[in-house]
Amino acid sequence: QVQFVESGGGLVQPGGSLRLSCTASGIIFEITTMGWYRQAPGNQRELVATVTSGLRRNYANSVKGRFTISRDNVKNTVYLQMNSLKPEDTAVYYCNRDPPFQSWGQGTQVTVSS
């Protein structure tokens, strides 16, 4: 059974930083391209960043230069380091495979506000 458990969200001021973590189970993690997604109220879920098994990374234009995705294949965990956060980054953040499985975790709320 595929399962994702996200953590690390919170309330942060504009310009601040957060590091999200997501532990996966039920998949062969080390060969899976992993991604971070986000969904803001009233918006569709969007793909923010991906990292392949070979550590090739891609980012949405809106986060390029501010966010860094990484992975630890021993811990089956993918991370998202978010710097220079903006109010428009406010969303629930999820991890999943790219392309995603139908099963999603609960996500972690990130709120950027002064």
Side-chain angles (χ1 to χ4, degrees):
Q1 180 179 355
V2 175
Q3 188 174 13
F4 303 103
V5 180
E6 300 93 349
S7 63
L11 173 63
V12 63
Q13 292 187 341
S17 298
L18 283 174
R19 188 192 193 211
L20 307 183
S21 301
C22 171
T23 300
S25 58
I27 64 173
I28 306 175
F29 184 86
E30 59 266 28
I31 64 170
T32 301
T33 295
M34 293 299 298
W36 279 98
Y37 301 75
R38 69 184 180 187
Q39 187 168 20
N43 291 356
Q44 290 192 341
R45 191 172 289 162
E46 63 171 341
L47 181 60
V48 172
T50 61
V51 58
T52 69
S53 58
L55 300 182
R56 185 170 62 251
R57 298 171 174 86
N58 280 295
Y59 299 94
N61 287 336
S62 58
V63 307
K64 202 170 292 184
R66 300 188 297 121
F67 290 11
T68 302
I69 189 170
S70 61
R71 64 190 296 159
D72 184 334
N73 289 343
V74 174
K75 295 181 179 180
N76 280 15
T77 299
V78 60
Y79 304 96
L80 188 68
Q81 177 66 44
M82 306 187 295
N83 299 328
S84 302
L85 283 161
K86 304 176 181 180
E88 51 264 43
D89 295 319
T90 295
V92 179
Y93 284 71
Y94 304 85
C95 77
N96 206 316
R97 184 186 64 174
D98 178 32
F101 292 104
Q102 286 191 331
S103 176
W104 293 84
Q106 292 190 329
T108 186
Q109 175 71 48
V110 171
T111 303
V112 185
S113 175
S114 55

